[in-house]
Amino acid sequence: MSQFSDIEIARAADKLPIQEIGARLGIPAADLLPYGHDKAKVGQRFIDGLKDRPDGRLILVTAINPTPAGEGKTTTTVGLGDALNRIGKNAAICIREASLGPNFGMKGGAAGGGYAQVVPMEDMNLHFTGDFHAITSAHNLLSAMIDNHVYWGNDLEIDTRRIVWRRVVDMNDRALRQITASLGGVTNGFPREAGFDITVASEVMAILCLATDLDDLQRRLGDMIVAYRRDKTPVFARDLKADGAMTVLLRDAMQPNLVQTLENNPAFVHGGPFANIAHGCNSVIATKTALKLSDYVVTEAGFGADLGAEKFFDIKCRKAGLRPDAAVLVATIRALKMNGGVAKADLGGADAEAVRRGCANLGRHLSNLKGFGVPVVVAINHFSGDTPAEITAVQDYVREHGAEAVVCRHWAEGGRGVEALAEKVVRLAESGAASFAPLYEDGMGLFDKIDTVARRIYHADQAIADATVRQQLHAWEAQGYGHLPVCMAKTQYSFTTDPTLRGAPVGHDVPVREVRLSAGAGFVVAVCGDIMTMPGLPREPAAERIRLSEAGHVEGLF
Amino acid sequence: MSQFSDIEIARAADKLPIQEIGARLGIPAADLLPYGHDKAKVGQRFIDGLKDRPDGRLILVTAINPTPAGEGKTTTTVGLGDALNRIGKNAAICIREASLGPNFGMKGGAAGGGYAQVVPMEDMNLHFTGDFHAITSAHNLLSAMIDNHVYWGNDLEIDTRRIVWRRVVDMNDRALRQITASLGGVTNGFPREAGFDITVASEVMAILCLATDLDDLQRRLGDMIVAYRRDKTPVFARDLKADGAMTVLLRDAMQPNLVQTLENNPAFVHGGPFANIAHGCNSVIATKTALKLSDYVVTEAGFGADLGAEKFFDIKCRKAGLRPDAAVLVATIRALKMNGGVAKADLGGADAEAVRRGCANLGRHLSNLKGFGVPVVVAINHFSGDTPAEITAVQDYVREHGAEAVVCRHWAEGGRGVEALAEKVVRLAESGAASFAPLYEDGMGLFDKIDTVARRIYHADQAIADATVRQQLHAWEAQGYGHLPVCMAKTQYSFTTDPTLRGAPVGHDVPVREVRLSAGAGFVVAVCGDIMTMPGLPREPAAERIRLSEAGHVEGLF
């Protein structure tokens, strides 16, 4: 175990100039747009020139259902990337950008930890290269244009009660969840109910992460539904002529960001959509660019494998034509213990029996992942208190279920501590065992898609929904949206919709409370529980302690 | 006259790498934080090391009252900077950053014009280096912390009817001017009236532009008044412990931005506060940094000299200890004609008599400027239709009033066309004639300060205000704010508060409708008329035409 904190380790990093990181990938300095000395965007023209190159191998890092004990998906992604480079592969990692707002609520830090980190950590948790600000601006320009259109006569006959396009801010601000806007008289417009979401919940964010280039971006932006008329026909962003200006605002943001790990290996950090009402993966353009420039690309998906991996496969890979070569399923002894029924306060004691019981959760994810035709290896993200008996319990369980579990010590040792996993990943990926296929065909009905995910991935008896929901799905099928994949918005803490049910529950239904159409992003969201799209600040927000130190360092953010 | 548009000229610019521009000022590449290849921030540590260097000479560019005919203050600033370099001086310019939102309403472009431009023009009218986004984030973090404080029990006993801190967005969005927030039940807080201003109207913007370093920034942020209690005692941002986190968000934004003119001369572009409810000047840190690195620094102030120059002298120079060496008063024949009573539609015809009548406006600004102890030269910003008789009329008038008027052709010719002005500026500045003093002493009463500006600068009979306003000013004096300068918020189109009265009106009063305290920025705002802090979009917003061309250029923004 390290005696240093994450931020101390990050500050002591021996960073290379970002041009040197780019050079390792074959990116000329002229095609890197620097942001300071340790961050850069990869120029669009350079990316356009890569089309004919072969792709490297794509590795997904996913996890068991998250618990308060922590799993370490990002640290494993970083550590595996470093380890692959150590064993002679040219590897890059692809992860998501952090949202600014939540850092001022609870302690932040979304760049790994220990000796498996991406740097510069402070910048990555602040404005970074401005991508999220650009998304906020583009989103709110459309919002302003909607109300402005109504103000000047409403030629499109928008029903102001049915404006579904809200505003966004990258801040935890519960006071903005529900507002009445346009008050104060004639010059301020027509009063109506409105509200704000946090920026990462914006459909523009999901689109930026799924678009293949600027033309595709603009087409998708134009396809977004912003409101309905009294006859319930949709009004699109294109009808408001907002798609061109939004694309201009997003032009720089579309270029993937390049930074580095503590071991000076390339890391693409780009995009960060919500993992409930959106698909929770870094951008397609970053992943595809990395695949053109590396032998191996290690990426991750939000939450546990039931949500994150399923969406990675069924939304991102399906739509972008990606074919993953292997998956790493991350677990910790502590989290498995919690899945085995141990309370957080009792995690201190060794309990191999509880670990074995908790492996039911792991086993279900393992079989789910194999169902996508992707070979899987389990990574045991090692904590210092783990006992040999507990580790053996996991390894035995996983072996019984036809896979292998490798102990990984990236947090304490960096890439060196995860070379065994890297070797295993290479063997799996180069075995040719992968034959990826998404869970369902495009042609399946929308409700059947939801039901298929519920049964096959959540191991539920069925998905259930009232007539209103089913009619809405049928209406969208009639309007030509039936081919879209579904995006499940469900608690990440359980296979069920009850966050308290850990392990591998059976006998549950998945009630679909509401469905939403993200016509630009290209998926239908099935809301199965309470989904919060605008967080609040806690009683004592982290912001109260965040400040610059005498030395100019950021304190309190991590 | 050039046959090319501003944007065509800007795109054809032969830009140098920003490191070469920095090198000309003696800034090592390691102390420049690049944003792409043609923009950079000057590192704080480098700036800290300049303290003991001598200052260069400071030249203010200001103008007669603006008319729809256009005056060309920024182009003159750029042209004069280029010309000073041409005649052998090491000169830099300091101008403001453009606000993003308004570009989507009317045509944008705030980087000069013709052959007197700062580049990269597209970036400067879009996200640039993200400063305004950082200001928006810092401002709205404080907003969220106020409502969050009330939500969790309101220990500070904030009167929610008296929260004076609004929210901001860098967008023209009239629907947000007045809202009811925190609707929707217990989890969303206590409903109250609220609203949004555009980001440039934020007190955080004014503070960023007046703060001398990060410590001063944080102190000023803490000093901001966000609300009042039932007993009317103020609640400060510091009471909410927001000042530290806001400073962290503004750390990068505090570093001045360096770009270049078309002639590859250094241009600092940093900050952009409103020129009505704030002081309308670029940042003190940029101006001071430029003065340490150059023989000559040419800067400008918002609106005409009655507002812009007065605030530059009485707020910026007073507080920052700057001592301007000369002022350039910009006029055009067309604008003088309008001041002489000609309608915009009739500007096509030559009319030396109207020009002479309009010189009354020029003459008053000339004497006002001299009153600050700063030698003045008049720049006639040449348009192709100007006749020799019209130009002679101005030159004669100015000579009669003890100054000189120089014809400038920077728009068509770049720095070459304004060398005569540069020579004159150098003679004035090096004559030692300047003995700058602000208009009034710190110790004068607040209302007397307002009255002094009204009488001495606006040539009014008096300032008038009802008892409420006077009592408020007395209350602030009692609370220790009496030493602050005043910031006049008045129409820019006239010396009076009636925008239709051009020329040099007499016999008017200046009614003060309302006063506001910007305790962090350090001034008292006297509102003398309708002041709009959140613009709306027009019927056909420019956004509808803004898009990327096939070649990847931004179209419709200029």
Side-chain angles (χ1 to χ4, degrees), chain B residues 308-372:
Chain B
E310 189 271 316
K311 294 180 186 187
F312 175 77
F313 293 138
D314 281 326
I315 298 176
K316 182 173 175 177
C317 292
R318 175 198 304 265
K319 290 296 173 184
L322 297 170
R323 299 190 59 77
D325 294 281
V328 175
L329 179 60
V330 180
T332 59
I333 299 298
R334 293 158 56 88
L336 289 170
K337 261 189 257 191
M338 288 195 79
N339 269 292
V342 177
K344 193 180 178 192
D346 302 329
L347 286 175
D351 190 345
E353 267 315 299
V355 169
R356 175 164 279 273
R357 284 196 306 274
C359 280
N361 186 272
L362 176 66
R364 187 176 278 182
H365 289 296
L366 199 57
S367 72
N368 283 351
L369 290 167
K370 287 181 178 171
F372 287 95

Coordinates of all heavy atoms in Angstrom, one line a residue, chain B residues 308-372:
Chain B
G308 N -17.0 55.4 -21.0 CA -15.8 54.5 -21.0 C -14.5 55.1 -20.4 O -13.9 54.6 -19.6
A309 N -14.2 56.3 -20.9 CA -12.9 56.9 -20.4 C -13.1 57.3 -19.0 O -12.2 57.1 -18.2 CB -12.6 58.1 -21.3
E310 N -14.3 57.8 -18.6 CA -14.5 58.3 -17.2 C -14.3 57.1 -16.3 O -13.6 57.2 -15.3 CB -15.9 58.9 -17.1 CG -16.1 59.5 -15.7 CD -16.7 58.6 -14.7 OE1 -17.6 57.8 -15.0 OE2 -16.2 58.6 -13.5
K311 N -14.9 55.9 -16.6 CA -14.7 54.7 -15.8 C -13.3 54.2 -15.8 O -12.8 53.7 -14.8 CB -15.7 53.7 -16.2 CG -17.2 54.1 -16.0 CD -18.1 53.0 -16.4 CE -19.6 53.5 -16.3 NZ -20.5 52.4 -16.5
F312 N -12.7 54.2 -17.0 CA -11.3 53.8 -17.1 C -10.4 54.6 -16.1 O -9.6 54.1 -15.4 CB -10.8 54.0 -18.6 CG -9.3 53.7 -18.8 CD1 -8.9 52.4 -18.8 CD2 -8.4 54.8 -18.9 CE1 -7.5 52.1 -19.0 CE2 -7.1 54.5 -19.1 CZ -6.6 53.2 -19.1
F313 N -10.6 55.9 -16.1 CA -9.8 56.8 -15.2 C -10.2 56.6 -13.8 O -9.4 56.4 -12.9 CB -10.0 58.3 -15.7 CG -9.4 58.6 -17.0 CD1 -10.1 59.4 -17.9 CD2 -8.1 58.1 -17.4 CE1 -9.5 59.8 -19.1 CE2 -7.6 58.4 -18.6 CZ -8.3 59.3 -19.5
D314 N -11.6 56.8 -13.5 CA -12.0 56.9 -12.2 C -12.2 55.5 -11.4 O -12.2 55.5 -10.2 CB -13.4 57.6 -12.1 CG -13.2 59.1 -12.2 OD1 -12.2 59.6 -11.7 OD2 -14.1 59.8 -12.8
I315 N -12.3 54.5 -12.2 CA -12.4 53.1 -11.5 C -11.1 52.4 -11.8 O -10.4 52.0 -10.8 CB -13.6 52.4 -12.0 CG1 -14.9 53.2 -11.7 CG2 -13.7 51.0 -11.4 CD1 -16.2 52.5 -12.2
K316 N -10.8 52.0 -13.0 CA -9.7 51.2 -13.3 C -8.3 51.8 -12.9 O -7.5 51.2 -12.2 CB -9.6 50.7 -14.8 CG -8.5 49.8 -15.1 CD -8.6 49.2 -16.6 CE -7.4 48.4 -16.9 NZ -7.5 47.8 -18.2
C317 N -8.0 53.0 -13.4 CA -6.7 53.6 -13.2 C -6.6 54.0 -11.7 O -5.6 53.7 -11.0 CB -6.5 54.9 -14.0 SG -6.3 54.5 -15.8
R318 N -7.7 54.5 -11.1 CA -7.7 54.9 -9.7 C -7.3 53.6 -8.8 O -6.4 53.7 -8.0 CB -9.0 55.4 -9.3 CG -9.2 55.7 -7.8 CD -10.7 55.8 -7.4 NE -11.4 56.8 -8.1 CZ -11.6 58.1 -7.8 NH1 -11.2 58.5 -6.6 NH2 -12.3 58.9 -8.5
K319 N -8.0 52.5 -9.1 CA -7.9 51.4 -8.2 C -6.6 50.6 -8.5 O -6.0 50.0 -7.6 CB -9.1 50.5 -8.4 CG -10.4 51.0 -7.8 CD -10.2 51.2 -6.3 CE -11.4 52.0 -5.7 NZ -11.2 52.2 -4.2
A320 N -6.2 50.6 -9.7 CA -5.0 49.8 -10.1 C -3.7 50.6 -10.1 O -2.6 50.1 -10.3 CB -5.2 49.2 -11.5
G321 N -3.8 51.9 -9.8 CA -2.6 52.8 -9.7 C -2.0 53.0 -11.1 O -0.8 53.2 -11.2
L322 N -2.8 53.0 -12.1 CA -2.3 53.2 -13.5 C -2.3 54.7 -13.8 O -3.1 55.4 -13.4 CB -3.2 52.5 -14.5 CG -3.3 50.9 -14.4 CD1 -4.4 50.4 -15.3 CD2 -2.0 50.3 -14.8
R323 N -1.3 55.1 -14.6 CA -1.2 56.5 -14.9 C -1.0 56.6 -16.5 O 0.1 56.6 -17.0 CB 0.1 57.1 -14.3 CG 0.0 57.0 -12.7 CD 1.1 57.8 -12.1 NE 1.1 59.2 -12.4 CZ 0.2 60.1 -11.9 NH1 -0.7 59.7 -11.0 NH2 0.2 61.3 -12.3
P324 N -2.2 56.9 -17.1 CA -2.1 56.9 -18.6 C -1.3 58.1 -19.1 O -1.3 59.2 -18.4 CB -3.6 57.1 -19.0 CG -4.3 57.5 -17.7 CD -3.5 57.0 -16.6
D325 N -0.6 57.9 -20.2 CA 0.3 59.0 -20.7 C -0.3 59.8 -21.8 O 0.1 60.9 -22.1 CB 1.6 58.3 -21.2 CG 2.3 57.7 -20.1 OD1 3.0 58.4 -19.4 OD2 2.2 56.5 -19.9
A326 N -1.3 59.2 -22.5 CA -2.0 60.0 -23.5 C -3.3 59.3 -23.9 O -3.5 58.1 -23.5 CB -1.2 60.1 -24.8
A327 N -4.2 60.0 -24.5 CA -5.5 59.5 -24.9 C -5.7 59.8 -26.4 O -5.3 60.8 -26.9 CB -6.7 60.0 -24.1
V328 N -6.3 58.8 -27.1 CA -6.7 59.0 -28.5 C -8.3 59.1 -28.5 O -8.9 58.1 -28.0 CB -6.2 57.9 -29.4 CG1 -6.7 58.0 -30.8 CG2 -4.7 57.8 -29.3
L329 N -8.8 60.1 -29.1 CA -10.3 60.3 -29.2 C -10.7 60.0 -30.6 O -10.3 60.8 -31.5 CB -10.7 61.7 -28.7 CG -12.1 62.0 -28.8 CD1 -13.0 61.1 -27.9 CD2 -12.3 63.5 -28.4
V330 N -11.4 58.9 -30.8 CA -11.7 58.4 -32.2 C -13.1 59.1 -32.6 O -14.0 59.1 -31.8 CB -11.8 56.9 -32.2 CG1 -12.2 56.5 -33.7 CG2 -10.5 56.3 -31.8
A331 N -13.1 59.5 -33.8 CA -14.3 60.0 -34.4 C -14.3 59.6 -35.9 O -13.3 59.4 -36.5 CB -14.4 61.5 -34.3
T332 N -15.5 59.6 -36.5 CA -15.6 59.4 -37.9 C -16.4 60.6 -38.5 O -17.2 61.2 -37.8 CB -16.3 58.1 -38.3 OG1 -17.6 58.1 -37.8 CG2 -15.5 56.9 -37.9
I333 N -16.1 60.9 -39.7 CA -16.9 62.0 -40.4 C -18.4 61.7 -40.3 O -19.2 62.5 -40.0 CB -16.4 62.1 -41.8 CG1 -14.9 62.5 -41.9 CG2 -17.3 63.1 -42.6 CD1 -14.6 63.9 -41.2
R334 N -18.7 60.4 -40.6 CA -20.1 60.0 -40.6 C -20.8 60.2 -39.2 O -21.9 60.7 -39.1 CB -20.2 58.5 -41.0 CG -19.8 58.3 -42.5 CD -19.4 56.8 -42.7 NE -20.4 55.9 -42.3 CZ -21.4 55.5 -43.2 NH1 -21.4 55.9 -44.4 NH2 -22.3 54.7 -42.7
A335 N -20.1 59.8 -38.2 CA -20.7 59.9 -36.9 C -20.8 61.4 -36.5 O -21.7 61.8 -35.8 CB -19.8 59.1 -35.8
L336 N -19.8 62.2 -36.9 CA -19.9 63.6 -36.5 C -21.1 64.2 -37.3 O -21.8 65.1 -36.7 CB -18.6 64.3 -36.9 CG -17.4 64.0 -36.0 CD1 -16.1 64.5 -36.5 CD2 -17.7 64.5 -34.6
K337 N -21.3 63.8 -38.5 CA -22.5 64.3 -39.2 C -23.8 63.9 -38.5 O -24.7 64.8 -38.4 CB -22.5 63.6 -40.6 CG -21.9 64.5 -41.7 CD -22.2 63.9 -43.1 CE -20.9 63.3 -43.6 NZ -21.0 62.9 -45.1
M338 N -23.8 62.7 -38.0 CA -25.1 62.3 -37.2 C -25.2 63.2 -36.0 O -26.3 63.6 -35.6 CB -25.0 60.9 -36.9 CG -25.3 60.0 -38.1 SD -25.7 58.2 -37.6 CE -27.4 58.4 -37.2
N339 N -24.0 63.5 -35.3 CA -24.1 64.4 -34.2 C -24.5 65.8 -34.6 O -25.0 66.6 -33.8 CB -22.7 64.4 -33.5 CG -22.7 63.3 -32.4 OD1 -23.4 63.5 -31.4 ND2 -21.9 62.3 -32.5
G340 N -24.2 66.1 -35.9 CA -24.6 67.4 -36.4 C -26.0 67.4 -36.9 O -26.4 68.4 -37.5
G341 N -26.8 66.3 -36.7 CA -28.2 66.4 -37.1 C -28.6 65.6 -38.3 O -29.8 65.6 -38.7
V342 N -27.6 65.0 -39.0 CA -28.0 64.3 -40.2 C -28.5 62.9 -39.9 O -28.0 62.2 -39.0 CB -26.7 64.2 -41.1 CG1 -27.0 63.3 -42.4 CG2 -26.2 65.5 -41.5
A343 N -29.6 62.5 -40.6 CA -30.1 61.1 -40.4 C -29.2 60.1 -41.0 O -28.5 60.4 -42.0 CB -31.5 61.0 -40.9
K344 N -29.3 58.8 -40.5 CA -28.5 57.8 -41.0 C -28.6 57.6 -42.6 O -27.7 57.4 -43.3 CB -28.7 56.5 -40.3 CG -27.6 55.5 -40.6 CD -27.8 54.1 -39.9 CE -26.7 53.2 -40.3 NZ -26.9 51.8 -39.9
A345 N -29.9 57.7 -43.0 CA -30.2 57.5 -44.4 C -29.5 58.5 -45.3 O -29.3 58.3 -46.5 CB -31.7 57.4 -44.6
D346 N -29.2 59.7 -44.7 CA -28.7 60.8 -45.5 C -27.2 61.0 -45.4 O -26.6 62.0 -45.8 CB -29.3 62.1 -45.1 CG -30.9 62.1 -45.2 OD1 -31.3 61.3 -46.1 OD2 -31.5 62.7 -44.4
L347 N -26.5 59.9 -44.9 CA -25.1 60.1 -44.6 C -24.2 60.1 -45.9 O -23.1 60.4 -45.9 CB -24.6 59.0 -43.7 CG -24.9 59.1 -42.2 CD1 -24.5 57.9 -41.4 CD2 -24.3 60.3 -41.6
G348 N -24.9 59.7 -47.0 CA -24.1 59.5 -48.3 C -23.6 60.8 -48.8 O -22.5 60.9 -49.4
G349 N -24.3 61.9 -48.6 CA -23.8 63.2 -49.2 C -22.8 63.9 -48.3 O -22.8 63.8 -47.1
A350 N -21.9 64.7 -49.0 CA -20.9 65.5 -48.3 C -21.6 66.7 -47.6 O -22.6 67.2 -48.1 CB -19.9 66.0 -49.3
D351 N -21.2 67.0 -46.4 CA -21.9 68.0 -45.6 C -20.9 68.6 -44.6 O -21.1 68.2 -43.4 CB -23.2 67.5 -45.0 CG -24.0 68.6 -44.5 OD1 -23.5 69.8 -44.2 OD2 -25.2 68.4 -44.2
A352 N -20.0 69.4 -45.0 CA -19.0 69.9 -44.0 C -19.6 70.7 -42.9 O -19.1 70.7 -41.8 CB -17.9 70.7 -44.8
E353 N -20.7 71.4 -43.2 CA -21.3 72.2 -42.2 C -21.9 71.3 -41.0 O -21.8 71.6 -39.8 CB -22.5 73.0 -42.8 CG -22.1 74.4 -43.2 CD -21.2 75.1 -42.2 OE1 -21.7 75.3 -41.0 OE2 -20.0 75.4 -42.4
A354 N -22.5 70.2 -41.5 CA -23.0 69.3 -40.4 C -21.9 68.7 -39.6 O -22.0 68.5 -38.4 CB -23.8 68.1 -41.1
V355 N -20.8 68.4 -40.3 CA -19.6 67.9 -39.6 C -19.2 68.9 -38.5 O -19.0 68.5 -37.4 CB -18.5 67.6 -40.6 CG1 -17.2 67.3 -39.8 CG2 -18.8 66.4 -41.5
R356 N -19.1 70.1 -38.9 CA -18.7 71.2 -38.0 C -19.7 71.3 -36.8 O -19.2 71.4 -35.6 CB -18.6 72.5 -38.7 CG -18.2 73.7 -37.8 CD -17.7 74.9 -38.5 NE -16.3 74.8 -38.9 CZ -15.3 75.1 -38.1 NH1 -15.5 75.6 -36.9 NH2 -14.1 75.0 -38.4
R357 N -21.0 71.2 -37.1 CA -21.9 71.2 -36.0 C -21.7 70.0 -35.0 O -21.7 70.2 -33.8 CB -23.4 71.1 -36.5 CG -23.9 72.4 -37.1 CD -25.4 72.4 -37.3 NE -25.9 71.3 -38.0 CZ -26.0 71.2 -39.4 NH1 -25.6 72.2 -40.1 NH2 -26.5 70.1 -39.9
G358 N -21.5 68.9 -35.7 CA -21.3 67.6 -34.8 C -20.0 67.7 -34.0 O -19.9 67.0 -33.0
C359 N -19.1 68.5 -34.4 CA -17.8 68.6 -33.6 C -18.1 69.1 -32.2 O -17.2 69.0 -31.3 CB -16.9 69.5 -34.3 SG -16.0 68.7 -35.7
A360 N -19.3 69.6 -31.9 CA -19.6 70.0 -30.5 C -19.5 68.8 -29.6 O -19.0 68.9 -28.5 CB -21.0 70.6 -30.5
N361 N -19.9 67.7 -30.1 CA -19.8 66.4 -29.3 C -18.3 66.1 -29.1 O -17.9 65.9 -27.9 CB -20.5 65.3 -30.0 CG -20.5 64.0 -29.2 OD1 -19.6 63.2 -29.2 ND2 -21.6 63.9 -28.4
L362 N -17.5 66.1 -30.1 CA -16.1 65.9 -30.0 C -15.4 66.8 -29.1 O -14.6 66.4 -28.2 CB -15.5 66.0 -31.5 CG -14.0 65.9 -31.7 CD1 -13.6 64.5 -31.4 CD2 -13.7 66.3 -33.1
G363 N -15.8 68.1 -29.2 CA -15.1 69.1 -28.4 C -15.3 68.9 -26.9 O -14.4 69.1 -26.1
R364 N -16.5 68.5 -26.6 CA -16.8 68.3 -25.2 C -16.0 67.1 -24.6 O -15.5 67.2 -23.5 CB -18.3 68.1 -25.0 CG -18.7 68.0 -23.5 CD -20.2 67.9 -23.4 NE -20.9 69.2 -23.5 CZ -22.2 69.3 -23.3 NH1 -23.0 68.2 -23.1 NH2 -22.8 70.5 -23.4
H365 N -15.9 66.1 -25.4 CA -15.1 64.9 -24.9 C -13.7 65.3 -24.8 O -13.0 64.9 -23.9 CB -15.2 63.7 -25.9 CG -16.6 63.1 -25.9 ND1 -17.0 62.4 -24.8 CD2 -17.5 62.9 -26.8 CE1 -18.2 61.9 -25.0 NE2 -18.6 62.2 -26.3
L366 N -13.2 66.2 -25.7 CA -11.8 66.6 -25.7 C -11.5 67.4 -24.4 O -10.5 67.1 -23.7 CB -11.6 67.5 -26.9 CG -10.3 67.8 -27.5 CD1 -9.5 66.6 -27.8 CD2 -10.4 68.7 -28.7
S367 N -12.4 68.3 -24.1 CA -12.1 69.0 -22.8 C -12.3 68.1 -21.6 O -11.5 68.3 -20.6 CB -13.0 70.3 -22.8 OG -14.4 69.9 -22.5
N368 N -13.2 67.2 -21.6 CA -13.4 66.3 -20.5 C -12.1 65.5 -20.3 O -11.6 65.3 -19.2 CB -14.5 65.3 -20.8 CG -15.9 65.9 -20.6 OD1 -16.0 67.0 -20.1 ND2 -16.9 65.1 -21.0
L369 N -11.5 65.0 -21.4 CA -10.3 64.2 -21.3 C -9.2 65.0 -20.7 O -8.4 64.5 -19.9 CB -10.0 63.6 -22.6 CG -10.9 62.5 -23.2 CD1 -10.7 62.2 -24.6 CD2 -10.8 61.2 -22.3
K370 N -9.0 66.2 -21.2 CA -8.0 67.0 -20.7 C -8.1 67.3 -19.2 O -7.2 67.4 -18.5 CB -7.9 68.4 -21.5 CG -7.4 68.3 -22.9 CD -7.4 69.6 -23.5 CE -6.9 69.6 -24.9 NZ -7.1 70.9 -25.6
G371 N -9.4 67.3 -18.8 CA -9.7 67.5 -17.4 C -9.1 66.5 -16.5 O -8.9 66.7 -15.3
F372 N -8.8 65.3 -17.0 CA -8.1 64.2 -16.2 C -6.6 64.4 -16.2 O -5.9 63.5 -15.7 CB -8.5 62.9 -16.8 CG -9.9 62.4 -16.5 CD1 -10.9 62.7 -17.4 CD2 -10.2 61.8 -15.3 CE1 -12.3 62.3 -17.1 CE2 -11.5 61.4 -15.0 CZ -12.6 61.7 -15.9

